[in-house]
Amino acid sequence: MLADGDSSGYITYDTKHEVLAGYTSDGSEKWRESRYFPTDVHCAGSCPNAVISATPDMNEGESRTHTVWKTGATSTVRSSPSRSLIVHWARDRDTWIATDESSITWSESGRRHTRKFAGGVGDAMGRVSGDGSTLVVSVQTGSAKTWSAYRFRLTGARLSPVLVSDALPGSIGCLSPQRESMWTLGDKAVEYDLATGRKLREVPQFLSDCASSRSTTVLGTFSAGTDEARQTISLAPADRSASLRKTVVNSDGEIGVFRDCGVFLSDGRLTTLSADGKRRPTEIGAHSVLTTPDGLIYSVGPSGEPERHRITADDRHCRVT
């Protein structure tokens, strides 16, 4: 499966052999890692440079979290007394943002800062915008039923969390700084103003995943049946008065977006959903897919080898080559 990627490279995870590997965009392997089971993994700066978070609950016999940094062919492992340190974004080994069991922690050029929560952190989720300018970290403290969302501006002079809202019904799912918009996951898909935390739109459906661009948001709802997985894909245009475009597919795979084109899997094939609501399957077989903000698509098909494709958006049409 594809774990993360950008226009410079991508990261794969071999679920059978439990091996992570980093590749440049042309398919050249730069590193492999099999010492730890990854709790989370992200590109660091640009792929295939990466940061791997390996917590004790996912690695039997370990009492500390191990953070593995991959830079080219160089590997560095740092341990932490925390049992749940998870890095959500990193520029390099000295500049990153993470959560642990009691706080949001971030490092700027090696100087660490902490925003602690009296009730501890029960759960946390971090999401980076497609343009790479913003990270939102959502935390659920102690036994609270609501979530709090904190915004980091990644392109500013300093990293500092700003509270957006402390009354969200679910964790952050995706965001678009260009529209000052973010969506939460869970029982109801809710869109909020990224600056003020004001509710903008509510969709009465469970939201499993989403992806946002400047012009649209793709919403994904998974429902596993006895024999197959069904997924409802919806396009939510920037115009909130416009109706959602929906399609139901046989899939439990990843979703992505490029401009106003949704990208997902349907019956084992790479498929698009355009702004006019038309679903267009391609001839590209895949069981894992990752879409980058600049229109590059990585897919893994029957051969197990990643492939590269391009998506273009012309008026209301989406074309994959």
Side-chain angles (χ1 to χ4, degrees):
M1 61 175 290
L2 290 153
D4 201 4
D6 57 25
S7 58
S8 299
Y10 56 90
I11 303 167
T12 65
Y13 183 63
D14 183 334
T15 56
K16 181 179 180 180
H17 300 99
E18 297 187 354
V19 176
L20 281 163
Y23 300 84
T24 57
S25 61
D26 63 2
S28 300
E29 183 179 306
K30 288 299 181 182
W31 57 264
R32 296 176 75 82
E33 178 61 53
S34 59
R35 289 171 290 179
Y36 303 101
F37 188 91
T39 306
D40 209 351
V41 57
H42 298 287
C43 304
S46 63
C47 266
N49 294 339
V51 54
I52 305 163
S53 301
T55 54
D57 61 321
M58 303 294 285
N59 292 269
E60 187 177 354
E62 300 289 346
S63 60
R64 292 172 166 240
T65 293
H66 290 85
T67 306
V68 185
W69 297 90
K70 297 288 188 179
T71 306
T74 302
S75 180
T76 303
V77 180
R78 293 177 176 172
S79 64
S80 166
S82 168
R83 296 188 59 83
S84 60
L85 181 71
I86 297 177
V87 178
H88 300 290
W89 169 87
R91 183 176 298 140
D92 51 44
R93 285 177 291 180
D94 294 323
T95 302
W96 46 264
I97 301 168
T99 54
D100 59 21
E101 56 267 34
S102 63
S103 66
I104 297 175
T105 299
W106 64 101
S107 173
E108 293 182 276
S109 301
R111 297 186 63 182
R112 293 184 66 159
H113 309 268
T114 300
R115 199 303 188 181
K116 286 189 173 293
F117 300 96
V121 176
D123 202 356
M125 181 78 75
R127 287 289 185 267
V128 179
S129 60
D131 65 356
S133 69
T134 305
L135 167 72
V136 171
V137 177
S138 52
V139 297
Q140 190 174 38
T141 60
S143 58
K145 294 183 179 180
T146 59
W147 291 68
S148 299
Y150 293 84
R151 179 178 184 170
F152 286 86
R153 297 183 186 274
L154 305 177
T155 56
R158 294 190 61 188
L159 296 176
S160 181
V162 176
L163 178 65
V164 178
S165 173
D166 59 2
L168 301 180
S171 64
I172 184 68
C174 54
L175 60 149
S176 173
Q178 300 94 331
R179 297 202 315 272
E180 284 292 304
S181 164
M182 67 179 187
W183 289 79
T184 59
L185 305 178
D187 287 337
K188 290 183 179 179
V190 185
E191 183 183 17
Y192 289 89
D193 188 294
L194 187 55
T196 66
R198 180 174 59 90
K199 184 183 292 187
L200 300 174
R201 175 169 38 177
E202 184 174 291
V203 179
Q205 68 182 55
F206 186 90
L207 183 59
S208 306
D209 196 7
C210 63
S212 284
S213 68
R214 181 188 297 271
S215 55
T216 194
T217 298
V218 183
L219 311 175
T221 300
F222 306 107
S223 58
T226 54
D227 300 318
E228 62 184 8
R230 303 282 286 175
Q231 184 176 1
T232 301
I233 306 293
S234 306
L235 284 187
D239 179 2
R240 297 182 183 93
S241 65
S243 60
L244 271 64
R245 303 291 188 178
K246 295 186 178 182
T247 186
V248 179
V249 299
N250 293 325
S251 175
D252 59 358
E254 306 91 341
I255 60 175
V257 64
F258 173 67
R259 295 182 181 172
D260 55 0
C261 297
V263 180
F264 54 95
L265 300 176
S266 177
D267 292 315
R269 290 191 290 174
L270 187 62
T271 305
T272 64
L273 181 65
S274 56
D276 59 4
K278 291 185 178 179
R279 184 174 78 195
R280 293 180 175 86
T282 70
E283 297 302 317
I284 301 167
H287 60 259
S288 184
V289 62
L290 189 150
T291 308
T292 69
D294 59 353
L296 180 62
I297 297 177
Y298 298 108
S299 67
V300 178
S303 69
E305 295 297 323
E307 300 175 355
R308 285 179 32 152
H309 306 281
R310 276 283 175 189
I311 179 171
T312 56
D314 181 15
D315 294 328
R316 291 177 173 266
H317 296 90
C318 310
R319 183 167 179 258
V320 178
T321 56

